[in-house]
Amino acid sequence: MKYIFVTGGVVSSLGKGLTAAALGTLLEHRGLKVALQKFDPYLNVDPGTMSPFQHGEVYVLDDGAETDLDLGHYERFTHTKLTRFNNLTSGQVYQTVLNNEREGKYLGKTVQVIPHVTDEIQKRIYLVGEMTKADVVITEIGGTTGDIEGLPFLEAIREFAQDVGPNNAIFIHVTYVPFIKAAGELKTKPTQQSVAKLREIGITPHIIACRCEYPLNKDVRQKIALFCNVPFEAVIEAKDVDHSIYEMPLMLQRERMDELVCRLLHLDVPRPDMRSWQEIIRKLIAPAHRVRIAVVGKYIELQDAYKSVYEAVIHGGIAHDCGVQIEKLDAEQIEGEGAERVLKGIGGILVPGGFGERGIEGKIAAARYARENNVPYLGLCLGMQIATIEFGRNVLGLAGAHSTEFQRDTPHPVIDLQEDQREVRMKGGTMRLGSQVCQLVAGTRIQRLYDAASVKERHRHRYEFNNRYRASYEAAGFVIAGMTPDGSLVECIELRDHPFYCAVQYHPEFQSKPNAPHPLFRGFIEAVHDNLHRRPLLGPVGA
């Protein structure tokens, strides 16, 4: 088994996760089985209780693990199926070590960072390899080289590489080469300092991936190679992509990164055939059609807060050779200016998940605008609850209808806390989480889009549709399109006599890929196009 470790330097948010995912794509196209994992140095056990402003979206896996958003990149770019063992935090490591100490598993020894913490980190690398039976395990180390909290992880992978021996483990360091406008040139000193810091720890990178806004010329590459002690060919240009993150595998292939990796790890495998990936990029750069949709949220100013939603929308466009212009609208703006003014001219409206009362009335106004003006609407998690509240207030006449999450004494709790959540006091990892079966109602739009009797989708929520109101809703044309197998919880809803008004309690965005768009996003983009142009894109719904 071969191991690749991806570290980062100079600043955070350089794209270590995308680099790891893109390399995974190339290695898969060479016929290798790849496993990816992320180590996060923060002390939270997982990101489940962290604000999106702090950390971006929480990416949920099939097994219910709340994980780092980079795991979303791993699943979108490759065929790897991830579990809770693919994301490790310092919080999890120290929790395990302290539990072991309390149970007497260290036989009276003094518990220390080395070897006890580092050993626990290394166990996770071996475990993921054993579970997946992968040819190559790619491990991304979160944070920036030099951060004090990341030192145990760097020491652990240094020891690990020494244990597995040469030709079996390599280090890729992602760094930043800034362009100083006043000087008119790229500066290599930050990269030199970052690599020097890494070497102080005992790790010498085999490859340096240089994130930059302008191309690296020959002199810059030679300088980095000389002062960072790597071959010239191991200085990889990772220039900002022009159109989409999905260009990264092709960009790294042009830089021959995958070829170099295979040579360093003594992997004798054929060159990758990337024609299918090139067709994805063609559809992104020069689509045959274009549509414009609004994502109405409360964390809009942070790009990563709805990362999987944005990507799934783009995937829906790829399915129809259709470019999607996403308008990111703050729900509070709608509250202040009115839905008619803010949403006029929008082709489709999507309301994603979220927590807290801020912006709720703006989202409700957006759902009403979509319903009354025949604008295609897709609601995800909270977006389904919003559609339920809006319908109750403005169609059924349930004055003050609301969710007990936002108004405990509402006269009409059309959305209420799940029964098994009422006694829950701990916040972390206690919601309805992970992959759950949804039984679809035959003949509904959603069932036709899936073309299946039942599906498994990932959940992350505490509140549900209140079944006390189900009969009155259904009588008014509010279609229950999907339920849990026992019929106790509503999973999907849609409206009759509307171009496309669908909402689901789960998070379909977590299972969408550029080469396998999710059916709901595919159907949503098709409906937006057809509604705007009054002509079918691909034929009837579900075709």
Side-chain angles (χ1 to χ4, degrees):
M1 195 172 292
K2 308 294 185 177
Y3 302 91
I4 300 171
F5 297 101
V6 180
T7 60
V10 184
V11 293
S12 60
S13 301
L14 283 179
K16 298 187 299 296
L18 284 170
T19 301
L23 178 58
T25 302
L26 292 171
L27 295 179
E28 276 197 347
H29 279 77
R30 283 177 174 265
L32 295 167
K33 185 174 183 181
V34 176
L36 294 104
Q37 62 181 338
K38 171 79 180 285
F39 289 168
D40 280 305
Y42 52 73
L43 283 172
N44 302 66
V45 173
D46 60 45
T49 58
M50 295 167 69
S51 165
F53 290 116
Q54 286 276 314
H55 191 263
E57 77 171 1
V58 173
Y59 188 80
V60 180
L61 304 179
D62 276 350
D63 64 2
E66 296 172 286
T67 68
D68 183 82
L69 62 84
D70 276 324
L71 275 75
H73 295 315
Y74 303 164
E75 288 201 332
R76 284 188 285 271
F77 276 74
T78 70
H79 292 95
T80 184
K81 267 294 185 185
L82 305 177
T83 71
R84 63 182 66 253
F85 300 111
N86 294 82
N87 194 195
L88 181 68
T89 70
S90 288
Q92 293 174 23
V93 174
Y94 284 105
Q95 189 177 61
T96 301
V97 169
L98 292 174
N99 287 341
N100 288 344
E101 187 275 333
R102 291 291 81 186
E103 293 171 15
K105 291 185 178 180
Y106 298 124
L107 301 176
K109 294 177 182 176
T110 300
V111 180
Q112 297 176 293
V113 172
I114 302 171
H116 301 100
V117 169
T118 52
D119 282 356
E120 204 61 44
I121 294 168
Q122 291 178 55
K123 283 179 186 177
R124 183 59 65 89
I125 306 172
Y126 284 118
L127 177 64
V128 167
E130 291 168 4
M131 288 175 61
T132 59
K133 306 299 182 187
D135 299 306
V136 180
V137 177
I138 303 176
T139 304
E140 174 195 350
I141 311 300
T144 307
T145 298
D147 294 346
I148 191 168
E149 62 265 30
L151 290 176
F153 288 93
L154 295 176
E155 171 60 21
I157 63 174
R158 182 197 69 79
E159 294 174 9
F160 186 95
Q162 192 172 29
D163 289 344
V164 297
N167 308 325
N168 290 320
I170 62 170
F171 297 96
I172 298 174
H173 192 57
V174 182
T175 182
Y176 182 48
V177 181
F179 180 80
I180 305 301
K181 191 174 181 180
E185 62 181 357
L186 292 163
K187 291 294 185 180
T188 66
K189 191 61 71 176
T191 294
Q192 295 177 43
Q193 296 287 357
S194 177
V195 171
K197 175 62 70 174
L198 198 61
R199 290 170 70 182
E200 284 177 16
I201 298 166
I203 295 173
T204 299
H206 298 82
I207 298 171
I208 299 175
C210 301
R211 181 72 183 271
C212 51
E213 298 173 27
Y214 295 89
L216 300 181
N217 59 40
K218 184 178 179 182
D219 289 343
V220 169
R221 291 191 192 228
Q222 285 180 332
K223 195 172 184 180
I224 292 172
L226 175 65
F227 287 102
C228 296
N229 198 32
V230 298
F232 178 83
E233 64 176 350
V235 180
I236 303 295
E237 177 186 287
K239 183 174 168 290
D240 293 356
V241 292
D242 295 322
H243 300 92
S244 167
I245 58 174
Y246 301 113
E247 295 176 66
M248 278 202 66
L250 301 180
M251 180 179 69
L252 296 183
Q253 185 186 35
R254 287 194 296 271
E255 290 288 302
R256 298 184 175 179
M257 179 191 264
D258 57 318
E259 187 178 309
L260 178 57
V261 165
C262 290
R263 193 159 70 247
L264 288 168
L265 292 175
H266 292 200
L267 291 166
D268 186 13
V269 287
R271 286 180 56 81
D273 181 353
M274 300 298 290
R275 283 176 295 183
S276 61
W277 207 265
Q278 289 167 347
E279 179 60 11
I280 289 171
I281 303 306
R282 197 279 303 162
K283 290 178 179 179
L284 289 169
I285 295 173
H289 316 277
R290 292 192 182 275
V291 297
R292 180 167 166 250
I293 73 153
V295 173
V296 180
K298 60 186 290 185
Y299 314 113
I300 289 299
E301 57 265 50
L302 184 67
Q303 167 71 17
D304 286 344
Y306 301 113
K307 186 66 179 174
S308 292
V309 172
Y310 298 147
E311 295 307 316
V313 167
I314 291 168
H315 303 163
I318 292 171
H320 299 302
D321 203 354
C322 186
V324 183
Q325 179 182 336
I326 300 174
E327 299 289 341
K328 301 169 185 176
L329 299 180
D330 193 316
E332 290 182 288
Q333 181 186 355
I334 296 175
E335 290 177 354
E337 301 179 25
E340 182 71 34
R341 180 176 178 181
V342 177
L343 295 170
K344 189 173 182 179
I346 290 291
I349 296 170
L350 187 152
V351 176
F355 298 89
E357 190 175 3
R358 183 172 63 85
I360 288 298
E361 294 302 324
K363 294 181 181 183
I364 292 171
R368 181 175 187 175
Y369 179 87
R371 180 180 57 79
E372 294 182 344
N373 292 277
N374 285 328
V375 175
Y377 175 90
L378 180 60
L380 311 176
C381 196
L382 176 62
M384 190 196 96
Q385 298 173 7
I386 291 295
T388 302
I389 295 166
E390 189 283 320
F391 194 90
R393 289 182 185 179
N394 301 310
V395 177
L396 298 180
L398 302 175
H402 220 314
S403 166
T404 54
E405 179 182 3
F406 312 122
Q407 186 179 333
R408 289 190 177 184
D409 59 351
T410 172
H412 294 289
V414 295
I415 301 295
D416 201 5
L417 190 64
Q418 299 171 49
E419 198 61 41
D420 60 1
Q421 289 284 322
R422 295 188 186 279
E423 301 304 318
V424 172
R425 295 293 177 264
M426 299 290 283
K427 297 297 183 185
T430 57
M431 287 183 276
R432 184 179 178 217
L433 290 165
S435 185
Q436 310 276 342
V437 175
C438 170
Q439 202 72 35
L440 300 173
V441 177
T444 58
R445 179 189 290 269
I446 290 176
Q447 187 272 320
R448 295 200 306 274
L449 286 173
Y450 276 108
D451 191 24
S454 66
V455 293
K456 293 185 75 174
E457 293 282 5
R458 300 178 189 179
H459 295 67
R460 185 176 184 252
H461 62 105
R462 298 185 193 277
Y463 290 79
E464 298 276 0
F465 181 93
N466 190 337
N467 284 320
R468 284 167 44 200
Y469 293 87
R470 181 173 172 178
S472 56
Y473 268 78
E474 289 184 299
F478 192 88
V479 179
I480 307 300
M483 300 281 294
T484 50
D486 63 2
S488 63
L489 301 176
V490 173
E491 294 272 41
C492 315
I493 66 95
E494 59 186 57
L495 295 185
R496 296 194 192 99
D497 305 320
H498 192 285
F500 187 100
Y501 197 103
C502 299
V504 295
Q505 186 57 76
Y506 44 80
H507 290 271
E509 67 270 24
F510 293 149
Q511 298 203 82
S512 188
K513 299 173 184 279
N515 49 5
H518 192 282
L520 292 182
F521 288 91
R522 194 175 64 228
F524 177 55
I525 298 303
E526 180 180 8
V528 172
H529 177 277
D530 294 355
N531 195 50
L532 288 173
H533 299 281
R534 299 291 185 264
R535 65 176 185 271
L537 193 64
L538 290 177
V541 173

